[in-house]
Amino acid sequence: MAFFGTSSGGLFGLGGQQTSSYQIVGVDYSLISASFDAKLTQRSIASLSAQDRAAYNFGSTTDGVTPPWQQVEETKTLNQQIREVRELTKFIDLKAADLKSVSDNADKQATFALFKALSNLRILAEYASSDSTSSSSLSRLNDQFQSGLSEVRDYLSTADLEKLELFLGDKQYKTETSTRLGKNGTSYDASLVTDDPNAALNGITGNEVFTVSITKSGATDDITIDLSEMSGTLSLNNIKDFVNSKIEAVTALDDEGEEYIKNQTRFDVRRDGSTGRYSLQIDGTITEEVKLSAATSAPTLYVASAVKQLDDDYAITSRISEFNGLDGTITLDDTTSFAAIDYEATAIKGLVKEEEDDDVDPKIKEMRDKMLADALASVTKDDEDTDEAEDTDNASSLTNIDSANKVNADTSAKRVAVDSEGGIYVVGTSSGSFGHQLNTASGEDVFLTKFDSEGNVVFSRLLGTSGTSNVSGITVDADDNVILVGQTDSALSSGDVVNSTDLFVQKISKRGDEVFRYQLDTFGETGASGVAVNSAGEIFVGGYTKSGISATSGFSGGQDALILKLSASGQLTDSTVFGTSDNEAIKGLAVDASGNLVVASEENGSAVVRRIDGSDLSNQTASVNFGSLGSGGAIQGITIDNDNGKVYIAGTTTNGSLNAGGSASTVGTTAGGYDGFVSGLTLSGSSLSADFTSYLATSDTDRIADVTVSDGKVYVAGSTGGTFSGEQSRGSTDGFVARIDGSAGTVEDIEQFGEGLAGTNVGGVAFTSKGDSVLSKLGLPQGSVQIDETRDIQTQTSAKVDDFFYISVGGGVKKRIELDEGDTFKDLARKLRIAGFGKLDVEVSSTAEGEKLKISALDDGVPIEFFSGKEGRDLLQRIGLEPGRILPKNEVFDIKTDATRTSRLRKTWAACLRSVSTARSTSTTNRPPNMCLAFLIARSRRCSVPTAR
């Protein structure tokens, strides 16, 4: 917030005739700094020149009114103050008794009222940060704080003042996006594999074969690398030279008939400076795409899980665990950990750390600050007189953070899938952001992260919801597009008009481009639990509905089972709703060899498998009821083995006789409580028959989360609070994977895994035939090693088509700036220039992380104001721009017509309050950082913040 004086008089009485133009006193309201602590205006006035300061007399006023920040404060305890604040019904009350003395002066009235409101907000924050405040009180405190904050914001935007102008933010003449659109690279660093690049590599025998495929202008050269043709040591350097010789052997003739080497991609060896170890490096060009494939690969399982430390100071983080030895003893080979970032908490931690590091001798501090101020003045003077050069650094990027201050956000992996090239897709939910995908959800948003087979992130995407969303299913089609399904309470596009909780479907290409998003917009609640795709790319989605989805769908009451069929482009082509007055839901789907569906459903608490005609969803041809799942039981997945005509469902049950009325055999026994189960069926033509139910049980709770099948072997993954026979318990809850014979149902092997002082919650499992190979021994991935992503706003940020914000030039009419499909920052710049009528500068410049957008007011122009779009559609927030105002540079630096005098902007340092839903702090009292002032100018105030997690 900034206060503007005018040339005709001071706010609280003139100490003399004022001759300067109106003056801005910068106060960063949006961060609720401690400058509101009793001396707000005195601290602000310090930024004025001596001449301007003389014009404002705050010691007394001509009308005898003493500003509230100069009044003697009553001695009250924090508990007394909070009781008074909790009784408030308004934070901005212009009819309050203590404002009557200034009721005839709109400017004084506004300033007094704002000071009171902000002081009361500060009391709420201080009380919330107190160690004596109970956790149960925080939600109520936060509700009142957010209500008061909203009241202040509304007042600032509507107040009708005379000589005073108020707006949010620091005094600035420019603003720029904190998001970037990224850059497509041309090189790939493989995993580190050796300490000596000239020594023989472990695990390489010399009989391995792999292929380097280089595609350029639509033509592909498949270059076979047979290590048996090598001579000498099988070292990293020698293998690099051998691969390059094979690439260089591929030649072509130019127009003159001269032979030339066709491809420019080369392999190199690099040394990692921090570890001293070596790896291969692929140096490509922007015109060549490189793909790697091994002649033989071992099968591999990937398990997605979320790990919660017993210490609540740490965020939930996600894992991808790689299991090999599937034909014999299953072993955990590697684990990749990942989590989103809480940018707010990271900033708070950095600010508090700066303050803590600032505890030096006051005299030394005074000397240091003077030197810094002199240096700043010198730099600022140059900045005032000359335009900035193009900014090519990454200083303002939101990812430009000190790793020591990084704070993770809760990130829970839910499902995993693998594409035909070995790429790994993990979906889940998180309260944090992924790179430049800013999380703007009030709860948790859905994320999709693609990894290569070496565990390197290829890309991450957020669904971009404003409320809360969940994801429950994922699959990959024949073109390696990934489809995810779930539930959201937010509008995913401008076409969603009914305010309800809806089923959603999103399809994303292997390069990270969104193909489509579909939302079932009905008056009743709907949700998705499973997804499958046929050979034509048609998508089947299973879930539930609590109302009819169309005039003809029908609805039996309670919760009915729901199946949707979408075209490959996302058009709804068929649907069915079935059930009784009880509760039914589809929990998983699979497509058989004929293109028909086999679905697993929970129907009034029982586990039911049905076969449904894929061309007519209303036609059910067979069903098997395995019986009651028991209280708290659930189906978690279904998989189909079309080569052997088998279907398997898995989940959790408390029923030891889940035997389809005696037609299925049971293998193993339950141990009481919740136990994992796998049930097998035979699919013959259009009929289904039950084969067996196998139990996986310990003396504690056991839950199977997902199931997959390959070559007659069934693989399940889940979580256990106990210890399986021959295994070892590690944490409060461990994960496990198991191999089961698909014919007999016997459990062949179990591998239990986990972490000490933590709980592992397994979400999904995926099988791939492109697992461990010569490429992994060389530190190289299967599939494409470098992809060219689409570098537009919709793809690289969490913004969606039709998101928008408003811009006003010189106080004029607000113009809407809307995101269209395919827009880049250059497109956004063009729209801004059109809306600005030549009264603003817009630049798109390159940084280390790709393009950024910068908007500036003209030096001697007019103010430019930015307004947020409506909730859930705010483009400003999602590209990293703040609502507020930028001013002409001459006004920011108070440059006079004779350019003889400048005034300095007072910077207010502070940090924002975090939402109650965010992670907890690291204080010994488990004080969440959400309700405290994390950083205060007043050094006496402190607030705990999370550690890097």
Side-chain angles (χ1 to χ4, degrees), residues 266-596:
R266 296 292 184 274
F267 281 59
D268 203 349
V269 171
R270 72 175 183 98
R271 180 181 183 273
D272 180 67
S274 61
T275 64
R277 290 172 61 78
Y278 294 84
S279 76
L280 288 171
Q281 177 176 292
I282 302 176
D283 296 321
T285 70
I286 59 174
T287 61
E288 296 178 353
E289 182 175 312
V290 180
K291 187 164 88 171
L292 306 175
S293 58
T296 60
S297 301
T300 292
L301 287 179
Y302 293 108
V303 173
S305 61
V307 175
K308 178 177 174 56
Q309 306 295 326
L310 297 185
D311 185 345
D312 284 339
D313 295 342
Y314 294 89
I316 298 171
T317 54
S318 290
R319 308 280 190 271
I320 306 172
S321 301
E322 177 185 343
F323 293 87
N324 290 308
L326 303 190
D327 295 334
T329 301
I330 300 174
T331 57
L332 172 61
D333 269 2
D334 200 5
T335 297
T336 298
S337 302
F338 67 99
I341 297 176
D342 186 331
Y343 284 128
E344 284 186 355
T346 297
I348 290 170
K349 184 177 179 182
L351 290 168
V352 172
K353 186 176 185 299
E354 288 177 9
E355 180 67 6
E356 291 173 346
D357 292 345
D358 208 27
D359 290 335
V360 298
D361 184 274
K363 292 183 178 179
I364 297 176
K365 179 181 182 300
E366 182 179 358
M367 295 174 61
R368 181 201 65 189
D369 289 348
K370 185 178 185 305
M371 295 172 62
L372 291 173
D374 291 343
L376 177 63
S378 175
V379 173
T380 307
K381 181 176 181 180
D382 293 340
D383 186 55
E384 292 164 10
D385 296 335
T386 60
D387 290 333
E388 290 183 323
E390 182 181 25
D391 184 7
T392 57
D393 63 49
N394 214 33
S396 62
S397 170
L398 58 88
T399 63
N400 185 31
I401 58 178
D402 185 342
S403 60
N405 297 327
K406 187 179 76 169
V407 179
N408 291 331
D410 284 346
T411 306
S412 299
K414 300 291 183 69
R415 293 290 183 182
V416 60
V418 183
D419 66 19
S420 66
E421 293 185 354
I424 308 162
Y425 298 88
V426 179
V427 292
T429 57
S430 179
S431 59
S433 301
F434 291 78
H436 294 288
Q437 299 268 326
L438 284 172
N439 192 332
T440 61
S442 60
E444 290 197 327
D445 202 356
V446 169
F447 72 84
L448 165 70
T449 298
K450 181 180 180 180
F451 298 86
D452 66 22
S453 59
E454 283 296 292
N456 301 299
V457 174
V458 180
F459 62 77
S460 290
R461 300 288 183 262
L462 284 174
L463 183 62
T465 56
S466 58
T468 297
S469 299
N470 197 10
V471 63
S472 50
I474 183 174
T475 193
V476 178
D477 68 15
D479 295 321
D480 287 341
N481 299 299
V482 60
I483 301 107
L484 51 150
V485 298
Q487 187 182 55
T488 181
D489 63 4
S490 306
L492 298 184
S493 70
S494 57
D496 180 64
V497 296
V498 179
N499 184 18
S500 61
T501 301
D502 300 330
L503 171 157
F504 78 84
V505 185
Q506 186 182 32
K507 181 177 179 178
I508 296 177
S509 76
K510 65 181 180 181
R511 295 181 179 275
D513 298 331
E514 183 177 81
V515 180
F516 72 80
R517 58 177 59 197
Y518 172 86
Q519 187 168 6
L520 183 59
D521 191 22
T522 65
F523 288 98
E525 178 183 325
T526 59
S529 298
V531 59
V533 62
N534 64 19
S535 58
E538 294 174 310
I539 301 164
F540 298 93
V541 182
Y544 71 89
T545 180
K546 292 187 176 181
S547 71
I549 64 171
S550 69
T552 60
S553 68
F555 179 67
S556 301
Q559 176 179 288
D560 282 0
L562 167 68
I563 303 176
L564 304 180
K565 181 179 181 181
L566 279 66
S567 68
S569 59
Q571 303 300 311
L572 181 64
T573 60
D574 195 8
S575 65
T576 187
V577 175
F578 64 90
T580 67
S581 59
D582 293 313
N583 290 330
E584 293 82 23
I586 303 297
K587 301 305 293 287
L589 312 91
V591 178
D592 68 18
S594 302
N596 296 306

